[in-house]
């Protein structure tokens, strides 16, 4: 059994103690002693030199104070093994070398009152003293009036011999004008501090940050920094580089290309600030502020917070700016002696100065903020924009569900690598240089109508008409989910036939031929429903006569009807027996009777009257502006960047009379939008006329000879015809180029974003190739 536990029995309260027991043993107080000067210096050195970057900061400031125009920095193991800086400044006199590394020895300050007007980086004279207590320090310097350079070694603030047994006095050596300071084995006397550093690469990155800050600010001074033994420079900034070029060298072109300059001063608060700030097009995950107050690199939490709040209204959530800010404040208003490493300073009227700077930055940002364009596209109610997740292919990233016609796939689980026959292959030339340019048409390929876009003061309205909602619901009810998914994930291949209006697109592993005429008609009809009452307008500089345009449209319509009848008769003759002369005369008489049934001459007046009577409704709902005298002032604009062919305008206006049901509201909106969509649909471009003329050239010559026309006259007409055909071919080629660019860069990207493919479009889409099917064919071969 274990021994019983020893328990202290408490003394009962009220028990009287003896005099010897009540006597307490008091310890004598510790005496206050002055620390050894070496201990004091090492403690101070640990406060001033926290990391290699702080030692380099002090050395850079001393070099710039010495009037240097070139600084070369070499680093080894993140500055712990070697930190060397070479400048071409004034140098140090030989007589000053014995006290160079003693504490509080400086050439920049004599009395305490001098702090109120200090204009240099250093002033306390502690940097080199602190470094000499925690590292091996070597100084090589040469002044302009010295015949040679002098080298000295220091330890614990005193001169020491280079080797045991030698003199500690500075010794002459070869060297160039200026000073070279070499710091080796930093923190060798503080092992705990040396072990605290993680990796040399992290310390080297901090050193580059310090060098980069001073390289941006110190105009006229060249900076170079590299690792020991490497030929490549980490930072290299020439002395003649401007501020923008210095930022480009140290922080990259992405920020240098998006900078705006600001300049603000106020005599009341005694400051002047200038710098460069990133505009609203640039943002990073962390704020970068290069802050200099009276040429001193400092940090200020108040300034950083104010700058971030200023940019919060311009940048997206999580975005942060870049800013280089140099503030000059009356030295009498600044207290620089508030931090051991001089990282922070205090100055009077801090809030007012910060507010003035932020207001100026906000003003400059608002001036250039117009360069950003945020495009928003609305869809029919209940339809979502399909999105592509990073873990799925474009073809597989869209799923159809009962709740939504197009529901994005979750993509939460990584998908396995697809088989070879499921890999999506696109044209290697898909990434073109033109894709890096804005999707606008160049002047060489633009239409003949020059447009200048302006913002309308008209406020958007929310359509609450039941008839429009019913038409939208009809579109949703006829949506084909698979076809919509194809267009939402397609890749445009190219224009196949502009006469038949056919293009090729790829979706997933399939290739399709598509009738883009049907697509455009359906797309612009849906745009009309979605943006009902909120259309833009195409305003004409000179009003056009509606009646004159309708007359042209009547002639075009009448001629096309005659051509259609002629084709039908020709087809009937080819399929049936030859007609008797009496039958031909009867058909010609029937055609004349049909023409008599339609009074073509009255159509312009009737349609013009209808449009003038309904001009208020047309302007309110469709932005079709017609004045009281029958002049056309503007047309509805359905898509920015695309202008319909104005050659179709006469027929469009003419068809608004007989083809639009003006008696019923729902049918009126439906038929009008269908006619508007047909007007916006790209025209069918014919084949070159020279090719058609070449096919019928022999027959034309033979018929001319039969009637006895002079040969010279025939040749002259042929030359005139060839010139006309050449001009026509050039115009057709120009329109084809314009059409190809419009389809690729304007229309089909719009289809991909917001087209709801209906079942009626199925007859306009033909699958011509399937990668899986091709693999099966090749396997059988």
């Amino acid at each position: 059994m274990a021994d019983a536990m020893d328990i202290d029995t408490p003394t009962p309260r009220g028990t009287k103690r003896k005099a010897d027991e009540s006597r307490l043993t008091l310890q004598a107080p510790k005496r206050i002693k002055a620390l050894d000067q070496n201990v004091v210096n090492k403690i101070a050195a640990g406060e001033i030199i926290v990391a290699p970057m702080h030692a380099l900061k002090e050395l850079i400031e001393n070099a710039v104070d010495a009037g240097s125009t070139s600084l070369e920095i070499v680093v080894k193991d993140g500055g712990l093994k070697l930190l060397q800086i070479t400048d071409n400044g004034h140098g140090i006199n030989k007589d000053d070398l014995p006290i160079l590394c003693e504490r509080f020895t400086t050439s920049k300050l004599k009395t305490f009152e001098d702090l109120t007007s200090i204009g240099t980086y250093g002033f306390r004279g502690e940097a080199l003293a602190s470094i000499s207590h925690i590292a091996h320090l070597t100084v090589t310097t040469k002044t302009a009036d010295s015949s040679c350079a002098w080298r000295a070694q220091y330890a614990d603030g005193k001169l020491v011999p280079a080797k045991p047994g030698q003199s500690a006095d500075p010794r002459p050596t070869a060297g160039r004008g200026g000073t070279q300071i070499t710091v080796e084995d930093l923190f060798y006397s503080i092992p705990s501090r040396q072990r605290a550093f993680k990796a040399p690469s992290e310390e080297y990155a901090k050193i580059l940050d310090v060098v980069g800050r001073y390289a941006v600010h110190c105009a006229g001074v060249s900076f170079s920094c590299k690792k020991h033994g490497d030929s490549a420079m980490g930072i290299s900034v020439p002395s003649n580089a401007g501020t923008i070029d210095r930022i480009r060298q140290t922080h990259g072109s992405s920020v240098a290309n998006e900078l705006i300059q600001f300049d603000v001063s106020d005599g009341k608060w005694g400051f002047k600030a200038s710098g460069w700030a990133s505009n609203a097009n640039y943002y990073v995950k962390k704020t970068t502020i290069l802050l200099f107050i009276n040429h001193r690199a400092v940090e200020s939490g108040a300034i950083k917070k104010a700058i971030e709040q200023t940019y919060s209204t311009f940048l997206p959530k999580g975005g942060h700016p870049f800013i280089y800010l140099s503030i000059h404040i009356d030295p009498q208003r600044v207290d620089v002696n508030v931090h051991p490493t001089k990282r922070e300073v205090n100055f009077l009227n801090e809030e007012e100065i910060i507010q003035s700077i932020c207001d100026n930055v906000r003003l400059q940002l608002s001036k250039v903020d117009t360069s950003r364009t945020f495009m928003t596209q609305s869809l029919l109610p209940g339809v979502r924009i399909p999105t592509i997740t990073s873990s799925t292919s474009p073809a597989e990233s869209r799923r159809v569900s009962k709740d939504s016609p197009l529901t994005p796939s979750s993509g939460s689980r990584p998908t396995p690598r697809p088989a070879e026959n499921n890999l999506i292959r696109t044209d290697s030339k898909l990434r073109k240089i033109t894709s890096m340019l804005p999707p606008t048409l160049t002047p060489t390929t633009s239409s003949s109508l020059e447009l200048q876009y302006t913002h309308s003061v008209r406020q958007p309205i929310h359509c609450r008409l039941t008839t429009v909602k019913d038409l939208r619901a009809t579109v949703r009810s006829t949506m084909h989910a698979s076809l919509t998914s194809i267009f939402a994930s397609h890749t445009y291949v190219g224009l196949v036939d502009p006469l038949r209006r056919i293009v090729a697109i790829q979706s997933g592993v399939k290739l399709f031929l598509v009738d883009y005429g049907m697509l455009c008609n359906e797309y612009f009809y849906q745009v009309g429903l979605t943006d009902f009452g909120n259309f833009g307008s195409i305003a004409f500089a000179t009003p056009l006569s509606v009646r004159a345009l309708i007359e042209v449209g009547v002639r075009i319509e009448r001629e096309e009807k005659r051509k259609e009848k002629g084709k039908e008769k020709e087809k009937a003759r080819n399929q049936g027996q030859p007609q008797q002369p009496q039958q031909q005369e009867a058909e010609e008489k029937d055609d004349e009777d049909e023409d008599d049934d339609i009074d073509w001459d009255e159509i312009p007046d009737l349609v013009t009257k209808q449009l003038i009577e309904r001009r208020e409704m047309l302007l309110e709902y469709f932005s079709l502006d017609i004045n009281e005298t029958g002049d056309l002032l503007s047309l509805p604009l359905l898509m920015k960047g695309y202008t319909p062919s104005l050659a179709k305008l006469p027929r469009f206006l003419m068809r608004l009379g007989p083809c639009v049901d003006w008696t019923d509201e729902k049918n009126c909106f439906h038929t009008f939008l269908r006619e508007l969509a047909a007007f916006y649909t790209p025209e069918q471009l014919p084949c070159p006329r020279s090719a058609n003329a070449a096919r019928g050239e022999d027959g034309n010559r033979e018929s001319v000879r039969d009637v006895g026309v002079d040969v010279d006259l025939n040749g002259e007409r042929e030359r005139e015809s060839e010139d006309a055909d050449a001009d026509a071919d050039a115009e057709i080629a120009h329109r084809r180029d314009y059409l190809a660019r419009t389809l690729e860069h304007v229309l089909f990207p719009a289809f991909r974003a917001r087209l709801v493919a209906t079942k009626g479009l199925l007859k306009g889409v033909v699958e011509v190739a399937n990668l899986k099917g091709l693999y099966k064919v090749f396997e059988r071969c």
Side-chain angles (χ1 to χ4, degrees), residues 69-98:
T69 59
S70 175
L71 276 72
E72 301 174 4
I73 302 167
V74 179
V75 181
K76 183 178 181 181
D77 288 348
L80 296 175
K81 288 294 183 183
L82 174 66
L83 191 62
Q84 185 182 81
I85 179 170
T86 305
D87 64 63
N88 62 347
H90 305 316
I92 305 172
N93 289 322
K94 175 180 176 296
D95 298 336
D96 295 336
L97 290 177

Side-chain angles (χ1 to χ4, degrees), residues 317-478:
K317 185 178 180 181
H320 297 276
F322 169 93
I323 183 171
Y324 159 60
L325 174 61
S326 177
I327 307 177
H328 298 269
I329 306 177
D330 186 357
Q332 297 181 357
R333 295 172 175 261
V334 182
D335 185 3
V336 297
N337 191 28
V338 297
H339 196 274
T341 63
K342 301 188 285 287
R343 188 177 62 184
E344 298 178 1
V345 296
N346 292 338
F347 52 93
L348 299 178
N349 307 114
E350 181 178 7
E351 294 182 0
E352 291 81 1
I353 292 175
I354 294 175
Q355 185 64 36
S356 299
I357 295 173
C358 292
D359 290 343
N360 188 267
V361 172
R362 185 181 297 106
L363 177 62
Q364 299 300 325
L365 287 173
S366 62
K367 290 181 180 179
V368 301
D369 191 40
T370 56
S371 63
R372 292 188 300 165
T373 303
F374 294 95
M375 301 296 294
T376 59
Q377 293 187 345
S378 56
L379 291 173
L380 293 175
V383 179
R384 299 179 182 177
I385 299 178
T387 58
I388 301 176
T389 58
S390 58
S391 60
T392 57
S393 64
E396 298 174 347
S397 63
R398 291 160 175 89
R399 297 291 184 268
V400 179
S401 66
K402 296 181 180 179
D403 298 335
S404 174
L406 296 176
T407 303
S409 59
S410 60
S412 58
R413 293 178 298 176
T415 57
R417 179 179 175 83
E420 290 293 329
N421 60 347
N422 288 330
L423 290 178
I424 300 175
R425 292 168 171 82
T426 56
D427 188 2
S428 61
K429 296 181 290 184
L430 181 62
R431 183 62 171 172
K432 304 174 183 177
I433 192 172
T434 54
S435 64
M436 305 177 187
L437 303 176
T440 57
L441 302 178
T442 59
T444 57
T445 59
S446 63
S447 62
S448 59
L449 184 64
E450 296 296 335
L451 297 180
Q452 295 181 353
Y453 291 100
T454 58
H455 294 283
S456 175
V457 296
R458 180 180 178 183
Q459 296 296 326
I461 62 173
H462 180 66
C463 181
R464 294 183 173 86
L465 296 176
T466 306
T467 53
V468 176
K469 293 182 179 180
D470 292 342
L471 293 174
R472 293 174 179 175
T474 303
V475 173
R476 292 195 301 271
S477 63
T478 58

Side-chain angles (χ1 to χ4, degrees), residues 687-708:
C687 296
R689 299 186 180 183
S690 58
N692 295 333
R695 286 193 295 268
E697 183 178 2
D698 296 337
N700 291 337
R701 288 183 179 178
E702 184 176 357
S703 61
V704 169
R705 293 192 186 98
D706 290 341
V707 296

Side-chain angles (χ1 to χ4, degrees), residues 101-368:
C101 291
E102 293 184 6
R103 293 189 68 191
F104 307 116
T105 56
T106 179
S107 62
K108 305 162 187 175
L109 192 67
K110 293 183 180 180
T111 63
F112 182 77
E113 287 73 15
D114 292 340
L115 277 175
T116 60
S117 60
I118 193 72
T120 58
Y121 290 106
F123 54 87
R124 288 195 297 247
E126 288 188 288
L128 292 177
S130 300
I131 294 174
S132 67
H133 282 87
I134 57 177
H136 299 120
L137 181 65
T138 302
V139 179
T140 304
T141 183
K142 180 181 182 300
T143 58
D145 56 354
S146 177
S147 60
C148 64
W150 297 91
R151 178 173 295 171
Q153 278 82 22
Y154 297 88
D156 296 331
K158 300 178 182 179
L159 285 170
V160 295
K163 295 181 180 180
Q166 294 182 352
S167 174
D169 295 334
R171 60 185 187 276
T173 184
R176 61 185 184 181
T179 304
Q180 182 184 78
I181 298 180
T182 304
V183 180
E184 298 176 291
D185 301 325
L186 191 61
F187 299 117
Y188 78 95
S189 59
I190 313 177
S192 59
R193 178 75 61 83
Q194 199 172 34
R195 290 192 299 267
F197 299 107
K198 297 181 180 179
S201 59
E202 293 184 7
E203 300 305 317
Y204 181 66
K206 296 177 181 178
I207 287 174
L208 290 181
D209 179 69
V210 172
V211 176
R213 289 174 180 267
Y214 283 93
V216 171
H217 180 72
C218 298
V221 182
S222 66
F223 286 80
S224 66
C225 181
K226 68 175 184 177
K227 291 183 179 180
H228 181 266
D230 288 356
S231 58
M233 293 288 180
I235 287 180
S236 179
V237 178
S239 59
N240 59 352
T243 305
I244 291 292
D245 293 331
R246 290 174 179 267
I247 295 176
R248 180 176 288 106
Q249 293 290 335
T250 55
H251 293 84
S253 298
S254 59
V255 60
N257 295 333
E258 303 291 348
L259 293 178
I260 56 175
Q261 189 175 15
F262 61 91
D263 193 351
V264 58
S265 61
D266 194 332
K268 179 180 179 181
W269 310 121
F271 83 98
K272 180 180 180 181
S274 61
W276 295 82
S278 58
N279 59 28
N281 293 327
Y282 175 86
Y283 56 90
V284 288
K285 295 182 179 180
K286 185 178 180 181
T287 302
T288 303
I289 297 183
L290 310 183
L291 176 60
F292 288 81
I293 298 180
N294 290 356
H295 301 289
R296 190 182 307 279
V298 296
E299 296 178 1
S300 174
I303 293 179
K304 181 179 180 181
K305 184 178 180 180
I307 292 294
E308 290 179 342
Q309 289 179 349
T310 301
Y311 272 88
S312 62
T313 58
F314 295 91
L315 299 181
K317 185 178 180 181
H320 297 276
F322 169 93
I323 183 171
Y324 159 60
L325 174 61
S326 177
I327 307 177
H328 298 269
I329 306 177
D330 186 357
Q332 297 181 357
R333 295 172 175 261
V334 182
D335 185 3
V336 297
N337 191 28
V338 297
H339 196 274
T341 63
K342 301 188 285 287
R343 188 177 62 184
E344 298 178 1
V345 296
N346 292 338
F347 52 93
L348 299 178
N349 307 114
E350 181 178 7
E351 294 182 0
E352 291 81 1
I353 292 175
I354 294 175
Q355 185 64 36
S356 299
I357 295 173
C358 292
D359 290 343
N360 188 267
V361 172
R362 185 181 297 106
L363 177 62
Q364 299 300 325
L365 287 173
S366 62
K367 290 181 180 179
V368 301

Side-chain angles (χ1 to χ4, degrees), residues 656-678:
L656 292 182
C659 298
V660 175
D661 185 359
W662 299 101
T663 60
D664 182 74
E665 180 178 316
K666 182 176 180 180
N667 291 336
C668 175
F669 293 158
H670 171 72
T671 53
F672 186 93
L673 291 177
R674 281 298 181 188
E675 293 298 327
L676 182 61

